[in-house]
Amino acid sequence: MKQISAKKLLLPSSSTGSISILEERKQQVYLKGNDTFEISCEKKSVAGSVSQRACVFCGSRVVLYPIADALHLIHGPIGCASYTWDIRGALSSGPELHRMSFSTDLSETDVIYGGEKKLEKALVELIETYSPKAAFVYCTCIVGIIGDDVEAVCRNVALKSGIPVLPVHSEGFKGTKKDGYKAACDALFKLIDLGYRRSSFHYPDILRDGKQKIPLSINILGEFNIGGETWIIREYYKRMGVEVVSVMTGDGRVEYVQSAHRACLNVVQCSGALTYLAKTMEAAYGIPYIRVSYFGIEDTADALYDVASFFTEAQEIMERTKHLVQEEVEELLPGLEEMKQDLTGKRAAIYVGGAFKAFSLIKALRHLGMEVVLVGSQTGNREDYELLKEMCRPGTVILDDANPLELAKYVIEKDAHIFIGGVKERPIAYKLGIGFCDHNHERKIPLAGFEGMLNFAREVHDTVTSPVWDLVPRKAGRSSSIQIPVKGEKP
Amino acid sequence: MKQISAKKLLLPSSSTGSISILEERKQQVYLKGNDTFEISCEKKSVAGSVSQRACVFCGSRVVLYPIADALHLIHGPIGCASYTWDIRGALSSGPELHRMSFSTDLSETDVIYGGEKKLEKALVELIETYSPKAAFVYCTCIVGIIGDDVEAVCRNVALKSGIPVLPVHSEGFKGTKKDGYKAACDALFKLIDLGYRRSSFHYPDILRDGKQKIPLSINILGEFNIGGETWIIREYYKRMGVEVVSVMTGDGRVEYVQSAHRACLNVVQCSGALTYLAKTMEAAYGIPYIRVSYFGIEDTADALYDVASFFTEAQEIMERTKHLVQEEVEELLPGLEEMKQDLTGKRAAIYVGGAFKAFSLIKALRHLGMEVVLVGSQTGNREDYELLKEMCRPGTVILDDANPLELAKYVIEKDAHIFIGGVKERPIAYKLGIGFCDHNHERKIPLAGFEGMLNFAREVHDTVTSPVWDLVPRKAGRSSSIQIPVKGEKP
Amino acid sequence: MRENRPYTATRNACKMCTPLGAALAFHGIEGTIPLLHGSQGCSTYMRRYLISHFKEPVDIASSNFSEETAIFGGGANLKTAIQNIARQYNPEMIGIATTCLSETIGDDVDMIIESMGDIMKETALVHVSTPSYSGTHVDGFHHAVRAVVDQYNPSGVKNRKNSRARKKINLFPGMLSNEDLRHLKAIFKDINTELALLPDYSERLEGPSWMEYQSIQHGGTPIKEIQKMHRATGSIEFGTILAASVERGNGSAGSLLESRFNIPLASMGIPIGVKATDRFFSLLEKMTLKMIPKKYKEQRGRLIDAYVDGNKYVSKKRAIVYGEEDFVAAMAGFLAEIGIIPVLCASGGKSGLFIESLRSILPENIFKQVSIHQGMDFTDMEEHARTLMPDLAIGNSKGYTMTRHLDIPLVRVGFPIHDRVGGFRTLHIGYKGAQQLFDTIVNTLLQKRQDASEVGYSYM
Amino acid sequence: MRENRPYTATRNACKMCTPLGAALAFHGIEGTIPLLHGSQGCSTYMRRYLISHFKEPVDIASSNFSEETAIFGGGANLKTAIQNIARQYNPEMIGIATTCLSETIGDDVDMIIESMGDIMKETALVHVSTPSYSGTHVDGFHHAVRAVVDQYNPSGVKNRKNSRARKKINLFPGMLSNEDLRHLKAIFKDINTELALLPDYSERLEGPSWMEYQSIQHGGTPIKEIQKMHRATGSIEFGTILAASVERGNGSAGSLLESRFNIPLASMGIPIGVKATDRFFSLLEKMTLKMIPKKYKEQRGRLIDAYVDGNKYVSKKRAIVYGEEDFVAAMAGFLAEIGIIPVLCASGGKSGLFIESLRSILPENIFKQVSIHQGMDFTDMEEHARTLMPDLAIGNSKGYTMTRHLDIPLVRVGFPIHDRVGGFRTLHIGYKGAQQLFDTIVNTLLQKRQDASEVGYSYM
């Protein structure tokens, strides 16, 4: 058994003192208040590390996944499709084509002789069967090697089928998950621009000129309708009097994506993923964008106020917004207050995909009286880490692209009560007898908006106050010996 | 381990040769073709035997159970109510009050000071809550001893509540299950006679004179709607053009029971249970009765023809009946024929409550190509056994009120493939590795009528052809040693 | 006592009558036939009830009262019955339990038995008084166990305990499942300690198929083991209510051995869950001075890891728990340990000790959220449960109707299980039992969520 | 071959890719870290997939290909990766599995490894070729096992078998559950015979909670045991398809030991059900000359009695069975034994040996009622199942969507179980495994009937 003693892990004055951190990783760990040098993020993961990061394909897949009336065909051997089948809680109010896992399932012969024909045949058959409104073809590692001309196949099938067929250049090795976001944004932009150029799109109940702006309208970018979050947020904007043209890509539909160019403002939620698209749309159609978060009370309120402020031409929007926020917060507070009683002073560790999410989590946890003792992200940039540094109290550990060893080392050291991260972090937290909250895309419960905050608080509360932690060896102070006195025992 | 060797059990020329049969029981076993003396039935079970018979209470309970809008209150300690809660598959098309288990749950104090007050209070409360159309109060053993005046309490509550409240004199020790049937018939007759004397009953869609006969009408007696059998049979009569006034007691309602005196004919199905009521009604209202069985093709057809023949005034009934029987049988035969392939020559053992049911079973099994090697009943009379004797081939064992030892002895000896009996016989059959078919009232599948025959055949077929019998020690020829050769095993 | 039963009548009872428990206990003794002194129906009904749970032959004889018997006394019938059973089964023991009928007419069963002393040389006759109007099946069970221990360990017998002897433990488990009993035997085998487990119906009521008919099935506690109980190192008795009842002066098998022979008695709740099982093993360590085998430590380790992995699926969930008082108390303790609130703890039993037992088992913050009802029937329970927003129910099959009305899932445990197979094989106790209970409860909740979801993800 | 897939694309695959199987197998070896030579996503996805089943940390390292790596070859990355793993984990072995990417660009992994021989003194490097476009996770699993056995038992090594030595058996179980593996170890312990079980992830992927972080969890087949495999009395390999594949000239760990060291190899299907388990015990008796302990005979007796008790609930019921080919074949054999017709046997695997395997396992009258499909995905399966009137489905969690559409219950067995807890604890094999499967299947059918009934009796 390889064990790293918790005591040995006690941080020296510099967080890099422990032998267990790879030399190359030293600059990706920062201990607020102790270290003076800067965190080194946006590096590729080190070969041989067991990173929590995924690949380019993963990035593209998560962004485009919720478009429910599109066909998503993964071009490659079966693995990439198998491991991503129906794993995300992105809900649809209508079609559910996104929940199917389609793959060209390349075999040895295909690899030798090329997969273009198989791809074309697969596409044609699937489009015929499922009548999607568009098709995305995800290129996986091997496609980049065997050199299939996916662009050509897509063009071909688009001509035949009359629907947009868009290649997504998501070969796993061609960068990081962020590059996958970019590839997805490219595909999305192509789709939007097709709509823009065609101008034949009929937006329901509004002027028929396809290129004309829709007044008081926005797109929501980087919101994936996990557990119905899109619906919650849409409802807020509706109550404010703001028209949501398109959500990318929560409860997404090709038709609405294609009309995104008609919105007045892009509201970008997921820090890493969709900013690139917002910038592209700004350049192409002059649509400005703002970055927001819908997680936590403050951030949600800010997100709504920011949008309201944008529409200076309609003062009533701000009035409605104020009313909405007040109403929602009042409903929320008693419940939160009750849970805060149990949670005050409890310690949390955060490790999430994007740094922006980390900001919101820190604020939300503080709202519950909790202390953040560790925070890290897979894809934060320098700017993000600067902000994190500012937000955190001295003694907080800040990590970029951490591996399980590091995560475990610091959560033990910081004696966290709960770990907030993605599904891959769960077993680490649990093995160490620490509560866990999934703040990633596989959860099924909405955590966005005001009601999401209540769900989040409830989940944190449920797990932090569970009695099972009393039994874990780390807490019970014994490995597996049994020394509980016998109650009611006679002589 | 007490084991009685199967070989030792091989019958000598007289079936009473085996030591395992209690001296007192000798005359209740008969081996067709070997013995010359008569079977001695209708005896009380011997003290110390583990009889399959139940008590007076049980007899009353099964007869009255299906009256779904009546309150059934069991007056006694909790056991009698606990063990009879919702155990019978008697369906109701409406109210389901019969499925509740009500008990006065007598305690020590009640036994000492008498249970009358508790009974009255319980009755009043329950009638108030559930608004039953009548109430039956079942007297259990202890009531007979402590001397509660149940009649008086019932009279009292009936006056207060305005509904018939009928004591059922079913003290367990006061006879056999048959006496329980009689007690139930007494209660039923009281109910009918109340209706007759009140004459205020409004029969739907027919003349309002409560005493007038309803033309071309019958009562069905001794049909308990197990798995919906009443509905099957009712449908037949409807197609024949015969009006069913009351079924006693399948899918029973107090209102219909009370109008039973207006029927032209009583059709009695369960041999033991309801004949007494039919005779009583004949004496009181001059309603003739016939005995029928709805089990098996021949008996069902006969039952319908017998009723049709009764109504000589309406020749069209017979025509319709012939048509019905032909239609049903034609639909049935192909399915039966298919199963007969597998069942021909297979051996069956029968042990049921009433002998009449045994007759039907013998015929039905023969229809499937099967051989009956044992037949017995709990409550058959001399006449019944005479008939059984006639029906059976030489070598068939005929038993009255058998105990598990006897049943086991003979089914092993006769190497039966299937045992048909009640739930208490099941484990005996199963322990010996013999298939089993529940032909008692706890089953949930209708076995009556033509479609019931198909269900019966299917159930017999399913179990007789199950592969598990190959594995039982008695068949595999070894107790529990493992000697199956390894297939595909190398060197 | 939080008990406000509005009804005089019992509506769908959550209990059975006293002789049933005695008949079951007698089935756990080798070569024993239970005989009910009363009407034929009692034995037929109870056989049927037990058969539906165990799916095994259950022979219970009856003295078959007739009207004349009731008038002139049951002595003659009882004698005939005993003789007939002896002739037909040749049992080592006949366990005679009285019914309400024979109790009420006042048969002096002990005298009748005594009068048969001469003719019944090979068959012991043990009598237990079980009037069904007094107590429940649980009382019948414990009383029968005590009666047997009493008879085979009379005051006069010499207590040949010697220091050289191997450690030997008497264990009175109460009404556990066959698998529970097997698990207990396996534990003692693993710690290489002799065990007298009484009763033990695990083999008799779950045996293999037969080559030939067996009038009395294999298995059960051997009578010679019962006869040696007064020479044991110590006794263990499961059941907090039983223990409290003993403290109030009611006897139990263990307390009888303690008072008569000074055999130390340790009482504890049924070991359901980690903490209760820890207590059991700790007790075993003390009594036997043997270490807990690695196997059980590993089971414990995996179990706690499973608790952690599943903590969120159960935390703050609300359960109805019902059945025998001791079973409910132990189960409630387990639920509290995994984070489920046993919002309603109900039993048809009426020991008067239920609330105190639960108070001693549950942490204060849980205890105050629990509605506790003794002497409750299923109809009351259902009505009460409607106000409690339960997520699931945990108990025997008899709660099915209630849970169907409440539209919540039922986790079937305890006795009786009449609508599923293998209920008698359910393991409740020990780390492994807790593991299975935990997995079943979590998966039941997951299934409910998954099936109720419009989407129905195949990933959690 | 009954295979008429109308679709070029695979729609909801019933298989995983090759390296996943290798990574799982490597987890069953003590002190081993799997390393995927390819993109970072592969290892992350597979870890996630395995974690969702085992609810345990699953570390799989990656050589993290970049665009440059793909162009200039992965040698440098692989070396760095190996060195980093060695430094961070100090493993006894690194199990290197190639992905489609590194396979396609043609990295000569063996050469790269060889070139590291000098610097990797304490860590063994084992390479298995697992291009994901060839075969399924099952192939990856078997290939990894073979590669490990191959490397640790080279041709030159001396076969020091001597007659005095204790009997020792190599057992290659294939992809079984943790509980299955524990059961196998318990059986060998009970017959007091040494066992080399490869792989054995039962402890590593189901361990207790930790006091401190463990970079490599406890457990797994010790490498020194693997090194001694060529001195065993014999080998057993589970899997009829695996055996048939060996017969066709494909190697397996067992066949390698047989041809290289003349260790007798016995192949048989996974021992699911009475008959298959009988075969296994009979084989053990022959190989070890030891008697089967009473415990197992008792389990067998109870099991058959349970089959009898439940025969009517399962007879002629119609089941869809899917998953790995060998698993489906064994499960179909079990179903046929209890009277259920496996109307559809489907697998994403495509060995070409599936039909023959099923023909050898199933009785003719059952075989002719079975629709058998290799290379099938869940969408085809669902469409096909609609015509077959199934009563239930038996397989991993991935069939949930299908069974939801078909409105039939799913009995979750095999791998992966992503929507329930404790799937890795399911016991499939042996008499006890069959008992649990049988009870679960019967109760699933009973629940379906009871819940669907308008009446919902609480008695069967």
XYZ file of all heavy atoms in Angstrom, chain A residues 47 214 231 369 386 450 476:
56
model
N 2.641 14.738 -19.353
C 2.518 13.328 -19.718
C 2.714 12.473 -18.473
O 3.625 12.722 -17.687
C 3.547 12.957 -20.771
N -34.242 41.975 -32.953
C -35.464 41.854 -32.163
C -35.283 42.769 -30.957
O -34.281 42.635 -30.237
C -35.673 40.404 -31.735
C -35.871 39.533 -32.983
C -36.853 40.263 -30.777
C -35.580 38.083 -32.767
N -34.541 26.788 -18.166
C -35.941 27.175 -18.014
C -36.110 28.155 -16.860
O -36.912 29.082 -16.929
C -36.813 25.921 -17.808
C -36.705 24.974 -18.962
C -36.483 25.316 -20.270
C -36.796 23.549 -18.925
N -36.421 24.173 -21.047
C -36.623 23.078 -20.250
C -37.019 22.619 -17.911
C -36.660 21.729 -20.579
C -37.070 21.275 -18.237
C -36.877 20.820 -19.558
N -22.260 30.514 5.245
C -21.419 30.543 6.436
C -20.197 29.664 6.344
O -19.480 29.458 7.327
N -5.790 35.392 -10.826
C -5.577 36.650 -10.122
C -6.796 36.975 -9.263
O -6.686 37.336 -8.099
C -5.348 37.786 -11.137
C -3.933 37.867 -11.670
C -2.904 38.036 -10.563
O -3.175 38.750 -9.576
O -1.817 37.418 -10.674
N -32.102 31.533 -8.287
C -32.397 31.601 -6.858
C -32.820 30.233 -6.325
O -32.349 29.787 -5.290
C -33.471 32.665 -6.615
C -33.034 34.032 -7.063
C -33.577 34.607 -8.208
C -32.047 34.721 -6.374
C -33.158 35.853 -8.645
C -31.624 35.967 -6.791
C -32.177 36.539 -7.939
N -13.238 8.664 12.844
C -13.398 7.800 14.008
C -12.044 7.564 14.678
O -11.975 7.008 15.762
C -14.027 6.481 13.593
